[in-house]
Structures are given as C-alpha cells and as structure tokens.
Amino acid sequence: MKDVKKVMIWSVGTMVLTLIHHGYGAVIYDEPFRLHVAIFAAPVIMVLQATYAGFETVRSLTGRKILLTIFLVVTVVFPVLTIGVYEGGYNHVVKNILYFAGVPTAILDDLYPSIYELPNDLLFELTGMAQFFSAVKCSAEIYKTSMRRWLELLNAPSWRANR
C-alpha cells in the first residue's frame, strides 16, 4: 500500500500545484484562459483518487488490477508527462535556463509563442518549475517500486496483501 500511496500523493500533488500555478498566472497576467487547466486537472485528480481508493478497498483481484492499471496510466500521462515534462520541464525549466543563459529574445519568441511569458515573476516561474520537480519525484516513486513489486501488487491473491 505504501508504494501506491506515495505515487498517489505525488501525482495528485503535481496536479494541485498546476492548479495553483495556472490560477496565479491567470490573476497576475489578467489572462483567464490560463484557468483552462482546471477543465482537465480536476477530473484527473478525481480519477487518481477514485482509482487509488478503489485499489485499496476492492476485494476482486481483477478489479484491483484494472484500478491499479488505470491509476498508473493516468499518473504517467497527466502528472508526469503532460504537466511534469511538458508544462514544468519545457515551458518553465528549459525556458528559464535559455532565458538566463542569454538566448536572444527572437529565438525565445519562436520557441514560446505569445501566450507564454518570458520570466518576469519569481513566484510564477518557481511554481512552474516546481511542477517538473514534483513529477520527477512521482516518477522516482514509480521507479523505486520495482517492476517486480508492481507485478506483485497486480497479482496479489488478497486485497490485504500489500497492507
């Protein structure tokens, strides 16, 4: 249980962080379109919590396998890849490295269209980059739980096998 719970905490944490980051960006830049992230982040959080809770309570081995598989796929697709790698990594970590390394604004404008802001607000950039590092921690928790352990969880003969 602890293995899956750690992944759940970091995956939901990454999604909550992105809600905070985009909400803050919508306010400071007076751009309500940044709130679009809530359209998919809130349902992702609900799916993660529901599949985790189901995995912890369902007695059926088939049900547990399905719930854990959905949980892991949603975690990798949204908190890790979409938010972590793309939003946090490319849109913030890479952008800040390039900006502070002195890459010309013309190149940055090509890489980051007008809807992106070049670094001009410390909290916005820190919360943006934190999405990447949170997703890295989530990935590390998935990785630390070896493939053998994930297979054990999927094939546990009893719903209490990993408590």
Side-chain angles (χ1 to χ4, degrees):
M1 185 214 45
K2 289 190 325 190
D3 301 325
V4 182
K5 186 173 186 174
K6 287 178 183 178
V7 174
M8 193 275 299
I9 290 168
W10 283 104
S11 62
V12 169
T14 301
M15 298 309 293
V16 169
L17 182 58
T18 202
L19 286 170
I20 293 167
H21 169 73
H22 283 83
Y24 179 72
V27 171
I28 65 165
Y29 296 120
D30 192 27
E31 296 174 337
F33 79 87
R34 291 178 183 273
L35 297 174
H36 74 283
V37 75
I39 293 169
F40 88 91
V44 167
I45 291 168
M46 288 186 273
V47 168
L48 290 169
Q49 289 179 324
T51 54
Y52 170 75
F55 172 76
E56 288 298 315
T57 58
V58 168
R59 292 179 185 260
S60 157
L61 180 58
T62 302
R64 286 175 52 82
K65 287 180 180 182
I66 291 168
L67 290 164
L68 183 59
T69 301
I70 292 169
F71 174 80
L72 289 171
V73 168
V74 171
T75 295
V76 169
V77 170
F78 293 104
V80 173
L81 295 176
T82 305
I83 298 302
V85 174
Y86 180 71
E87 166 62 9
Y90 175 73
N91 287 345
H92 290 282
V93 173
V94 172
K95 177 183 73 177
N96 278 280
I97 290 170
L98 295 174
Y99 180 81
F100 290 107
V103 170
T105 304
I107 293 173
L108 292 172
D109 287 343
D110 285 342
L111 293 172
Y112 300 96
S114 62
I115 62 168
Y116 295 99
E117 298 290 335
L118 293 180
N120 62 13
D121 183 277
L122 181 63
L123 184 59
F124 182 73
E125 294 305 325
L126 287 176
T127 57
M129 291 186 297
Q131 297 169 113
F132 172 73
F133 295 109
S134 180
V136 166
K137 180 62 177 166
C138 183
S139 299
E141 290 299 333
I142 293 170
Y143 180 76
K144 278 187 348 190
T145 303
S146 68
M147 183 55 72
R148 189 181 63 165
R149 177 70 177 131
W150 286 116
L151 292 173
E152 287 172 8
L153 288 169
L154 282 171
N155 292 307
S158 165
W159 75 283
R160 292 190 173 273
N162 57 6
R163 286 188 181 240

